Amino acid sequence: RRQAGPAGAPSAQEPSRRYQVVLIESSVTLCREVRDFFARNAPKMDLRTLVSAVNLDDLASGADAVLIGPAPGGEPLDLLRTLRSRALDLPVILLARESDSETAVAAFKLGAQDYILQDPDYLTELIFSLQHILHRADLTRRNAQLSRELEMINRSLEAQVAARTRELEALSMRLIRVR
């Protein structure tokens, strides 16, 4: 039996699937670099790149995660706030050119799952972070699905117990009358 692995690796419970990742980044060169790296190193992730976040509702359709690059036509934290204000509950990773602990803390408070500094090896770190985040999101979705199924089964069992209880009470009443 296979163990549950990170996103991109099949688990025993879920067949292998492709993930849709959106990168919002103002640098076309950086978008190309990230797309090429993903094509070589993350075959289960399809990367869509946007140089601006013009229509966030379209952005969310079908996306499994969002990457926000430094200042993509605005402040990355503003973009994250907008995503959250529209109830777009997608995993988000902020990419930064410089280390800034205040921005990192603010990003986490707004619900970002990671804050990655664009150092020379950041793309490898980014893929591992995405795998972890997407795997956790899959587990959360699966947990919610199983909870709904369990609730339905529980309601069905409660109805069966109630019906059987009524039957037994009726039989008990008959027995009392017979005595």
Side-chain angles (χ1 to χ4, degrees):
R1 179 180 164 143
R2 292 178 288 168
Q3 296 293 326
S11 71
Q13 291 77 27
E14 183 175 316
S16 179
R17 67 174 276 228
R18 298 192 66 78
Y19 293 90
Q20 304 300 314
V21 178
V22 176
L23 169 63
I24 304 171
E25 168 59 56
S26 58
S27 166
V28 174
T29 303
L30 187 74
C31 286
R32 193 172 302 123
E33 174 187 327
V34 174
R35 185 183 305 123
D36 291 346
F37 190 85
F38 271 55
R40 289 189 312 275
N41 298 287
K44 298 288 183 190
M45 294 183 203
D46 294 326
L47 185 71
R48 189 170 36 145
T49 57
L50 303 172
V51 291
S52 69
V54 176
N55 191 342
L56 291 178
D57 296 325
D58 288 343
L59 157 81
S61 82
D64 293 301
V66 177
L67 311 174
I68 301 175
E75 183 61 36
L77 290 177
D78 291 338
L79 185 53
L80 182 54
R81 274 186 204 90
T82 302
L83 282 170
R84 296 304 180 229
S85 71
R86 293 185 182 184
L88 298 176
D89 192 26
L90 294 167
V92 175
I93 297 176
L94 261 64
L95 305 174
R97 289 192 182 101
E98 298 175 1
S99 180
D100 178 358
S101 60
E102 286 181 26
T103 302
V105 168
F108 288 124
K109 285 182 177 179
L110 289 168
Q113 278 67 36
D114 208 344
Y115 181 89
I116 297 178
L117 185 61
Q118 290 176 306
D119 62 19
D121 294 323
Y122 85 98
L123 290 173
T124 300
E125 180 183 352
L126 177 60
I127 287 177
F128 282 115
S129 180
L130 270 169
Q131 288 173 336
H132 174 74
I133 288 165
L134 292 168
H135 180 65
R136 188 173 55 218
D138 283 345
L139 290 175
T140 300
R141 275 191 296 276
R142 181 72 176 136
N143 186 33
Q145 176 188 0
L146 290 172
S147 292
R148 287 188 301 272
E149 290 174 14
L150 184 59
E151 182 62 33
M152 288 176 22
I153 291 168
N154 190 40
R155 279 192 293 255
S156 172
L157 288 173
E158 286 174 349
Q160 290 174 20
V161 166
R164 186 69 177 141
T165 300
R166 287 189 300 275
E167 289 174 26
L168 291 173
E169 287 171 348
L171 289 172
S172 177
M173 294 302 276
R174 281 192 211 163
L175 282 174
I176 292 172
R177 284 188 221 137
V178 169
R179 289 185 189 179

